[in-house]
Amino acid sequence: MSAPIEAAVDSYLRHVSIERGLAANTVAAYRRDLTLYAAWLQEPPEPAEPVAGLREITPAHISAFVRYLGAREEAALTAASIARVLSTVRGFHRFLLEEALVEVDVAHETKPPKLAMRLPKAISIEQVAALLAATDGDDLLQLRDKALLELLYATGARVSEVVGLNVDDVLAEVLDEEVVRLTGKGDKQRIVPVGSYARAAINAYLVRGRPLLSARGKATPALFLGVRGQRVSRQNAWLIIRAAAERAGLTVAVSPHTLRHSFATHLLAGGADVRVVQELLGHSSVATTQIYTLVTVDTLRDMYTTAHPRAR
């Protein structure tokens, strides 16, 4: 990597970390993307010319880099991953222009590959009920698993948001105020209501389950604990849900994100406004949430085709 490019990358990463306050994981992802980009600029395949400095980069280099990402033999990226890397590169070049390090933003016109529309995978209300019923019981881990799954489905939270909760985050808000404060991407907080089923499950876990799990390890403020008294990880949560799905006899793949998708789909099917669901999910753009409306429309179409005498 040539010195000017390397220095510019470091400046950009400091900018997004300090001035924009992006999360450490996001900055690390930006670093990986730009390291790959800078290495490619140094040794691009023909007919692109190697680049020694920032001002030598042309729109043709950006386009060739995008093609390279989708065709490289060792690890070709999907369209979604290419779009993410290109977003990082475009942000970098906007920064270069803003800082007067270049005269033109050479990445501005480069478009990402079209993404195939993938509808979120949700399970039915009956399947959710079966999944939650599979955690019934008074065993320590059953109490914990019940509280974890009920909270995920009640709030539509990301699994990282739920496993990151501490006891103090739920004692007053969930049990008294009937809401929970979740910290999402970019450390953005939002308030989400918690229904009676989840509140009852959390209360049972706090009274009869967590104290015994906590005694098995070092003191920790974490809400959900593992068998050794440590905070439950995202991987642990995934295994908990998979085991519950197996006990419930579900034949579809179920993950923490499945409950998030189901939460949104069931709300919209029940008549909730898409902007309310956007706020509950913590989406920065309503366009991200609107994909769930396609799921409910598909369901309506299937029901219409099946039930209406002149639908076919």
Side-chain angles (χ1 to χ4, degrees):
M1 189 189 301
S2 68
I5 297 175
E6 181 179 27
V9 167
D10 288 341
S11 295
Y12 177 63
L13 294 174
R14 284 195 300 272
H15 166 75
V16 296
S17 176
I18 298 172
E19 296 186 30
R20 290 177 52 190
L22 297 188
N25 286 344
T26 303
V27 176
Y30 282 13
R31 183 180 298 278
R32 287 193 297 272
D33 294 343
L34 292 175
T35 297
L36 174 64
Y37 175 55
W40 181 89
L41 287 172
Q42 189 177 30
E43 295 184 16
E46 295 182 356
E49 293 292 330
V51 172
L54 298 172
R55 297 173 189 271
E56 296 179 21
I57 305 173
T58 68
H61 283 105
I62 310 297
S63 298
F65 177 63
V66 170
R67 291 193 297 272
Y68 159 76
L69 292 175
R72 56 186 186 152
E73 295 181 1
E74 66 275 21
L77 299 184
T78 64
S81 296
I82 293 171
R84 179 188 57 77
V85 175
L86 179 58
S87 176
T88 302
V89 170
R90 291 181 66 174
F92 173 61
H93 279 280
R94 282 196 302 272
F95 170 79
L96 296 180
L97 182 63
E98 292 166 359
E99 295 295 306
L101 296 173
V102 296
E103 287 79 27
V104 63
D105 180 354
V106 296
H108 178 68
E109 297 297 330
T110 307
K111 304 297 182 186
K114 284 193 173 181
L115 302 180
M117 182 168 286
R118 295 184 302 168
L119 296 180
K121 294 181 180 179
I123 56 179
S124 69
I125 294 174
E126 293 74 20
Q127 288 173 316
V128 171
L131 178 71
L132 296 174
T135 59
D136 288 347
D138 290 323
D139 177 83
L140 284 179
L141 299 185
Q142 289 173 322
L143 290 168
R144 180 203 63 190
D145 297 352
K146 183 76 166 179
L148 176 67
L149 268 65
E150 287 279 7
L151 186 58
L152 282 168
Y153 180 59
T155 62
R158 301 175 181 91
V159 65
S160 58
E161 295 171 346
V162 167
V163 299
L165 287 171
N166 293 329
V167 174
D168 288 346
D169 294 328
V170 303
L171 274 179
E173 289 186 332
V174 171
L175 303 180
D176 296 333
E177 303 296 330
E178 302 181 2
V179 297
V180 64
R181 187 185 306 273
L182 298 172
T183 303
K185 294 181 178 180
D187 290 332
K188 292 182 179 178
Q189 291 191 336
R190 67 187 187 280
I191 300 295
V192 181
V194 179
S196 60
Y197 287 87
R199 293 200 309 274
I202 291 170
N203 190 46
Y205 166 64
L206 287 174
V207 173
R208 305 202 307 274
R210 190 186 180 283
L212 297 176
L213 289 172
S214 179
R216 297 180 177 182
K218 296 180 180 178
T220 173
L223 173 60
F224 292 109
L225 302 179
V227 293
R228 295 184 178 86
Q230 81 286 10
R231 185 185 294 272
V232 166
S233 67
R234 287 179 298 176
Q235 291 77 13
N236 293 149
W238 190 91
L239 293 172
I240 289 167
I241 293 174
R242 187 175 70 173
E246 290 176 355
R247 292 195 300 273
L250 300 184
T251 57
V252 296
V254 181
S255 69
H257 229 60
T258 303
L259 289 176
R260 179 169 165 85
H261 293 324
S262 302
F263 165 86
T265 302
H266 298 166
L267 277 176
L268 289 167
D273 184 88
V274 67
R275 291 196 177 275
V276 172
V277 178
Q278 174 196 358
E279 182 68 24
L280 293 173
L281 291 174
H283 286 160
S284 58
S285 169
V286 73
T288 307
T289 314
Q290 283 174 331
I291 191 171
Y292 292 102
T293 64
L294 299 177
V295 179
T296 58
V297 168
D298 282 347
T299 302
L300 290 173
R301 187 182 297 113
D302 291 342
M303 292 177 65
Y304 175 83
T305 303
T306 302
H308 198 283
R310 290 182 179 271
R312 287 170 290 190

